[in-house]
Amino acid sequence: MKRRGVTVLAGFVLAVLLVAGISLARVPYVVMSAGPTVNTLTAVDADGDECTVGAKGCQEVIQIAKTSTSDSDGQLRLVTVNVQSRTGLLDVIKGWFSDEQAVVPYEFVYPPDRTKDQVEQQNQEDFKESQTSAETAALRKLGYPVRVSVGEVTAGGASDGKLKKGDVIESVDGTKIESPSQLVELIKAKPVGTVLKFQVTRDGKAEAVEVATKPASATDQTPRINIEVATVQPHPFDLSIKLDDIGGPSAGLMFALGIMDKLTPEDLTGGKIIAGTGTIDDAGNVGPIGGVPQKLYGAKKAGAKVFLTPADNCAEAKANALDGLPLIKVATLDDALNALATLRAGGQPPTC
């Protein structure tokens, strides 16, 4: 081989090795892109792919038993973000030039004081909590309020032999009890030794119970009834959410809407594909989330006609808006329900 040919070949090999080295070299960034979207009104298999109810390994995302449920002609899709945590320089460069991706420092997603496994575990816990809050908010809207109950009774305390674990506290001295904090304030409002009249539901039956308060301690005269307080939300059906491999709290709003769609005769979607995101608390307040630009792309690819956007994310969403995907502004579950009703009527709900 001639000297020139050897030189060209060597240069080519070096170039390949250089590119390979750049590709394999790890950099302290993660690349975020649109993740899977899931219709909360349908069923998924073990891999999270949508499937037909009755097929092997296929289960509904929102499972409701012991009551009738309704079907929908549309979809209520939650959206996710995919995080590529192992990245090379080429991945990052590609992400920088992509409208659909975002490049952020590794520690932005995985703080240095926590391991990757710890972060992912927290995301799973947040996801489960979002499901619980979605259930609470939806059931409250459907007429099943949160109620205060007795968790544990302290042996030898004021309530020992009077209140029982599982009692639902309906009222104290004629005042309806709607929250644990309200119960505490009613107890503290009267002197130690005051006899309080409790109306409770015990094993499905109404009971009247009298409890004389005791001091917190020998040196603390704060009135106490010596119970642990819990909350319950009685409803005459079974409800659960089954969806794995998704983390974070941002699916709360769409889960709440999915529950309400199944438990009410009206099709909330109006036959449309509705996408959205947002945390939700027990009172139905919708909170902001991360990854809005990527979630918009995921919604658009899924065929969504509108995107339910947390009010606090509106500025970011508008800056990354996509043609043909209106951004519907929502701050509460009621806002979302009103917006969907307006859409079904052919109107235009408030936008970002």
Side-chain angles (χ1 to χ4, degrees):
M1 182 180 294
K2 293 183 179 180
R3 184 184 300 272
R4 183 178 179 183
V6 172
T7 301
V8 171
L9 179 60
F12 175 75
V13 171
L14 287 172
V16 170
L17 291 174
L18 180 61
V19 171
I22 292 174
S23 300
L24 295 174
R26 297 300 171 199
V27 291
Y29 294 95
V30 300
V31 177
M32 301 169 62
S33 58
T37 72
V38 179
N39 177 16
T40 61
L41 303 178
T42 190
V44 296
D45 59 23
D47 295 323
D49 297 324
E50 294 180 23
C51 55
T52 303
V53 176
K56 184 177 180 181
C58 188
Q59 60 180 1
E60 289 184 281
V61 174
I62 298 173
Q63 300 181 4
I64 300 173
K66 298 181 182 179
T67 190
S68 59
T69 58
S70 63
D71 295 324
S72 175
D73 292 328
Q75 302 176 17
L76 290 169
R77 302 195 76 90
L78 63 86
V79 289
T80 66
V81 173
N82 178 61
V83 177
Q84 182 184 345
S85 59
R86 291 179 58 84
T87 57
L89 184 57
L90 292 183
D91 296 317
V92 170
I93 292 173
K94 180 182 177 182
W96 278 331
F97 287 94
S98 171
D99 292 332
E100 299 185 27
Q101 297 179 324
V103 178
V104 299
Y106 187 89
E107 57 267 22
F108 180 82
V109 179
Y110 302 105
D113 60 339
R114 304 175 68 189
T115 67
K116 182 180 177 182
D117 287 343
Q118 288 174 326
V119 171
E120 292 178 351
Q121 176 63 34
Q122 183 62 55
N123 285 339
Q124 286 298 313
E125 291 174 4
D126 290 344
F127 185 60
K128 292 297 182 183
E129 185 176 341
S130 76
Q131 296 177 10
T132 301
S133 293
E135 292 177 19
T136 300
L139 290 176
R140 289 181 66 168
K141 187 65 181 175
L142 291 168
Y144 302 101
V146 174
R147 301 166 80 182
V148 177
S149 69
V150 178
E152 297 288 345
V153 178
T154 303
S159 298
D160 192 11
K162 299 177 177 66
L163 294 174
K164 293 184 178 181
K165 181 178 180 178
D167 283 352
V168 176
I169 301 174
E170 306 289 355
S171 67
V172 176
D173 287 345
T175 300
K176 183 179 180 181
I177 300 301
E178 298 180 334
S179 70
S181 60
Q182 179 199 17
L183 173 63
V184 171
E185 291 305 315
L186 283 172
I187 294 169
K188 291 168 61 178
K190 297 181 179 181
V192 169
T194 300
V195 177
L196 302 176
K197 297 179 180 180
F198 286 75
Q199 289 291 329
V200 304
T201 299
R202 179 179 297 165
D203 299 325
K205 298 179 181 179
E207 297 278 352
V209 179
E210 293 187 348
V211 179
T213 60
K214 290 186 175 183
S217 69
T219 58
D220 184 352
Q221 293 299 300
T222 303
R224 294 283 189 265
I225 61 170
N226 307 118
I227 65 170
E228 291 184 9
V229 177
T231 56
V232 294
Q233 195 172 20
H235 49 273
F237 47 82
D238 295 334
L239 168 63
S240 62
I241 297 175
K242 303 293 184 182
L243 189 61
D244 299 322
D245 299 326
I246 292 178
S250 65
L253 171 62
M254 301 311 290
F255 280 139
L257 290 173
I259 292 168
M260 295 196 66
D261 187 272
K262 284 178 170 287
L263 287 172
T264 55
E266 190 165 27
D267 181 351
L268 298 184
T269 71
K272 296 181 174 65
I273 300 176
I274 309 294
T277 190
T279 65
I280 199 165
D281 64 17
D282 291 357
N285 297 305
V286 176
I289 49 77
V292 168
Q294 290 69 49
K295 290 180 177 181
L296 292 176
Y297 277 102
K300 186 69 180 286
K301 290 178 180 178
K305 301 305 179 184
V306 297
F307 189 84
L308 301 179
T309 310
D312 289 341
N313 283 124
C314 268
E316 182 183 12
K318 284 182 68 175
N320 294 274
L322 302 178
D323 290 339
L325 187 62
L327 305 173
I328 306 302
K329 180 180 179 179
V330 296
T332 64
L333 178 58
D334 280 341
D335 286 347
L337 292 169
N338 291 336
L340 294 180
T342 299
L343 288 172
R344 291 194 302 274
Q348 177 58 58
T351 58
C352 290

